[in-house]
Amino acid sequence: MEILSSYNLIIEVSVIIILSFLFNSIAKKTNIPAVLMLIVLGVGLQFGLKYVNSDAIDFFPILEILGIVGLIMIVLEAALELELKREKLMPILKSFVVALSGLFLSAWVAALILYQFIPDMNMHSAWLYATPLSILSSAIIIPSVNDLKSHKKEFHIYESTFSDIIGIMMFYFLAGKLNPAEDTGFVGFTSNLLLTIVISLVASYAIILIFQNIKSQVKLFLLIAVLLLLYAVGKKMHLSSLIIILIFGLVIANMKLFFKGKLLSKLLDYKKAHHIYHELHTITAETAFVVRTFFFVIFGLTIAITSIFNINVAIISSLIIVSIYAIRAVLMLIFVGKDMLPQLFIAPRGLITVLLFYAIPEGAKVEGFDSGILLFVIIATSLIMTFAMIYDKRRANAAINKANINKVGTTKWVAPTIKEE
């Protein structure tokens, strides 16, 4: 049977997208991340392919491309929802500090665990393996926190986006240390970051001003193509390309903040530019949904599910998971306070973790590292988030019911009046 024939491929792709839509609906009702269901679907397809004796397919190139495009779309989708206002300065700074501290401390402890328990693991390789395991997954978090209170939802959007960007920068900074020709040190890294920010701002202004004057109805995918091009060229120039996407999203979502004075009155046609923003928001969400769907299904197709039942994998993964939530508990207590539920347990790993794991340089790879650790941590942190979200929803419903009962109970009884004849 030809699995990848033209019509079969159309059927398979269509069915996967339909199932993903259903998974999203189930996720909203049950708080089980749709990502987990997509991975399970991929594992099921993996066994199905083995059952029909299909030829082995190399999914890695597809997985890598989907991961990069998915990452861009998810960060852009998050940036388009972020409002930069004076009253939001503290929440942004707070989430940045939590993301930065959580990433560094989690990576440090995870690196120590990997160094101690995995043979032939040196400290530099341990940091490279630990960094992907320490990055929050905005691909899982952003679609999952819609029902939380607005300030908690914003915190998670900011935190997961910062975690993605800082984690990727940290990973490639560590990877560059393996190649002296590419290692620019801290000063070079800082200069690279500042240059990326300047290029991002210039490119963002230019794109908005040019695209507002394009009269063609078919321009949104052109805009996405330009952003993908900037990201890829930035990577070739060793820039922190994800910052380009983030800043563009922030600029177009907050045009009145970035375009002031003559820029706003003479150069920017706010009505046209806002229309582009509105349509871009829609198409970005749709594209992110499709790309995320196929990324996690293909990831499920490529993983060795039996590896998570290895006792060494379970021990190492459990230690890393305990360290993640212990560090997070301390940070939440310091920066958020006692009202830290369910934020404490919303720390899943996902798309970035997988993508960076496959990007570890050959010179840093260690044969003793079992990829089951990756899968174990992703599944466990997603399940922990699921149970926390379900508990929080039940707690909120119980509080509402109690308030309604108390309201009824405190209503004063008024004796009926008797009408005199």
Side-chain angles (χ1 to χ4, degrees):
M1 181 179 178
E2 183 58 51
I3 301 295
L4 296 180
S5 66
S6 300
Y7 291 111
N8 283 344
L9 198 57
I10 291 171
I11 292 169
E12 290 152 11
V13 167
S14 302
V15 169
I16 288 171
I17 291 175
I18 291 167
L19 287 174
S20 181
F21 180 81
L22 293 175
F23 291 163
N24 274 359
S25 300
I26 294 169
K28 288 178 181 177
K29 293 180 180 179
T30 63
N31 285 313
I32 299 172
V35 166
L36 281 183
M37 291 181 261
L38 291 171
I39 292 174
V40 171
L41 175 61
V43 172
L45 291 175
Q46 180 186 144
F47 286 110
L49 288 173
K50 289 178 181 177
Y51 178 77
V52 298
N53 295 319
S54 175
D55 294 333
I57 303 169
D58 183 12
F59 287 107
F60 176 69
I62 304 171
L63 189 69
E64 187 177 22
I65 293 169
L66 283 173
I68 293 168
V69 176
L71 174 62
I72 293 168
M73 291 296 105
I74 289 161
V75 170
L76 180 57
E77 183 187 9
L80 291 172
E81 293 188 6
L82 300 180
E83 292 181 278
L84 298 179
K85 295 180 179 178
R86 185 172 296 177
E87 60 267 25
K88 294 186 184 291
L89 180 61
M90 283 308 296
I92 291 172
L93 289 174
K94 187 185 294 184
S95 59
F96 176 80
V97 173
V98 172
L100 178 63
S101 305
L103 174 68
F104 182 79
L105 292 172
S106 297
W108 174 51
V109 176
L112 291 175
I113 293 168
L114 295 175
Y115 180 73
Q116 290 295 327
F117 284 88
I118 296 178
D120 303 323
M121 179 72 77
N122 59 60
M123 204 60 197
H124 191 271
S125 291
W127 270 92
L128 273 169
Y129 277 96
T131 300
L133 291 167
S134 305
I135 300 173
L136 298 173
S137 175
S138 58
I140 298 176
I141 291 173
I142 291 173
S144 302
V145 296
N146 285 326
D147 294 333
L148 293 182
K149 293 178 181 177
S150 59
H151 70 281
K152 292 186 177 183
K153 177 184 173 181
E154 281 187 348
F155 172 82
H156 287 299
I157 291 174
Y158 285 124
E159 184 197 18
S160 60
T161 305
F162 284 135
S163 182
D164 282 352
I165 293 169
I166 299 168
I168 290 169
M169 290 168 60
M170 178 174 159
F171 177 85
Y172 284 107
F173 176 76
L174 292 168
K177 291 287 182 182
L178 293 171
N179 187 352
E182 294 183 6
D183 183 17
T184 57
F186 181 75
V187 175
F189 177 77
T190 306
S191 302
N192 175 291
L193 179 60
L194 293 173
L195 177 63
T196 304
I197 292 171
V198 171
I199 291 173
S200 303
L201 287 169
V202 172
S204 298
Y205 279 101
I207 289 170
I208 293 170
L209 293 174
I210 291 170
F211 271 80
Q212 72 175 4
N213 294 315
I214 296 177
K215 295 180 180 179
S216 171
Q217 296 296 316
V218 188
K219 59 186 176 184
L220 289 176
F221 274 106
L222 174 62
L223 176 54
I224 289 174
V226 170
L227 293 175
L228 292 173
L229 179 64
L230 285 172
Y231 180 89
V233 172
K235 273 294 178 188
K236 289 287 185 181
M237 295 171 63
H238 305 291
L239 299 175
S240 303
S241 293
L242 209 57
I243 291 177
I244 298 173
I245 307 301
L246 176 68
I247 289 179
F248 171 76
L250 290 174
V251 171
I252 197 169
N254 301 272
M255 284 181 285
K256 288 187 177 179
L257 177 64
F258 288 93
F259 289 84
K260 289 188 174 182
K262 291 183 179 179
L263 279 175
L264 181 61
S265 60
K266 293 186 176 181
L267 293 178
L268 182 71
D269 187 330
Y270 182 75
K271 188 175 180 180
K272 289 182 179 179
H274 186 72
H275 182 66
I276 293 172
Y277 159 76
H278 180 72
E279 290 189 329
L280 182 64
H281 200 296
T282 302
I283 202 166
T284 300
E286 297 277 357
T287 307
F289 163 74
V290 173
V291 173
R292 185 165 50 225
T293 293
F294 286 103
F295 177 86
F296 285 108
V297 169
I298 291 174
F299 175 60
L301 275 164
T302 58
I303 58 177
I305 193 71
T306 54
S307 61
I308 65 172
F309 301 108
N310 183 304
I311 187 67
N312 289 330
V313 167
I315 292 171
I316 294 169
S317 302
S318 298
L319 288 171
I320 291 172
I321 291 165
V322 169
S323 71
I324 287 170
Y325 292 107
I327 291 166
R328 191 166 177 80
V330 174
L331 292 173
M332 287 288 114
L333 193 61
I334 294 171
F335 293 101
V336 176
K338 293 181 180 179
D339 182 21
M340 63 171 85
L341 294 177
Q343 299 100 299
L344 170 61
F345 299 107
I346 300 179
R349 274 52 179 163
L351 189 148
I352 306 294
T353 302
V354 177
L355 192 61
L356 293 185
F357 172 74
Y358 286 116
I360 293 173
E362 288 295 329
K365 288 185 178 178
V366 177
E367 289 186 8
F369 183 89
D370 194 317
S371 60
I373 295 171
L374 198 73
L375 182 60
F376 194 107
V377 172
I378 290 173
I379 291 175
T381 51
S382 296
L383 288 174
I384 289 169
M385 184 188 81
T386 299
F387 295 136
M389 296 286 281
I390 292 171
Y391 170 77
D392 185 68
K393 183 177 281 189
R394 287 180 178 174
R395 185 181 64 158
N397 289 338
I400 292 169
N401 292 336
K402 186 177 180 181
N404 289 336
I405 291 169
N406 289 339
K407 187 177 180 181
V408 172
T410 54
T411 302
K412 291 182 179 180
W413 180 78
V414 180
T417 57
I418 300 173
K419 187 177 179 181
E420 294 181 1
E421 294 185 359

